Amino acid sequence: MSTAAMNEPPEGTAAPDAPVPIDEATIQATIDRALRTGTGRLVMDELTDLEARLRGHIELLLPDAEAAADRLWRGSITWYTARARLDNIHHQVKQGLGKGPLAAHIQVDALARDCHWLLVHHQHRQQA
């Protein structure tokens, strides 16, 4: 077996740096569910699950958003606005759920809104 053949992924699998497909419907369903959590009793297990899902969605969407921001003219208002939002998202993702259901609800709500912003911008870039 050649060295080149040994370095290729097994048949039927994607290359390690191939982009992961974005399942927009699943992401939107998670966002919708997260934004409804404040309408009833706050359950920590549900909030923990939603936080993990939202973090995963954000991790999938961030590289595309970062690349789009990098293509903008640095110093423009559009670049500054995008960069500020992306920096805030990076900061928010690092925050934990906090102590108690109210703090967890606030964190999940913030992540849902960040995820929604990323998803909307992803969809606009796909249509362009």
Side-chain angles (χ1 to χ4, degrees):
M1 180 180 275
S2 72
T3 305
M6 290 176 19
N7 290 331
E8 292 180 14
E11 207 172 299
T13 62
D17 49 347
V20 176
I22 305 295
D23 183 351
E24 295 175 7
T26 299
I27 294 172
Q28 187 62 56
T30 304
I31 292 167
D32 293 342
R33 187 174 147 218
L35 292 175
R36 284 192 310 266
T37 59
T39 61
R41 186 169 168 258
L42 300 175
V43 179
M44 281 303 292
D45 288 343
E46 180 183 9
L47 293 168
T48 301
D49 176 60
L50 284 168
E51 183 204 26
R53 289 175 188 270
L54 289 165
R55 283 177 189 259
H57 296 326
I58 289 169
E59 285 179 25
L60 285 176
L61 293 167
L62 262 176
D64 179 48
E66 293 280 357
D70 288 343
R71 288 189 296 272
L72 297 171
W73 177 66
R74 293 186 190 277
S76 69
I77 292 172
T78 306
W79 173 83
Y80 179 78
T81 303
R83 200 61 260 156
R85 184 68 190 251
L86 291 169
D87 290 347
N88 185 62
I89 291 170
H90 280 287
H91 173 76
Q92 195 66 42
V93 166
K94 293 177 186 173
Q95 304 301 309
L97 278 177
K99 295 183 192 250
L102 181 58
H105 166 66
I106 291 168
Q107 173 65 0
V108 165
D109 187 76
L111 290 174
R113 292 177 193 285
D114 288 341
C115 193
H116 182 258
W117 184 86
L118 289 167
L119 180 60
V120 166
H121 283 78
H122 170 77
Q123 290 168 334
H124 284 261
R125 284 188 295 279
Q126 296 304 308
Q127 292 172 359

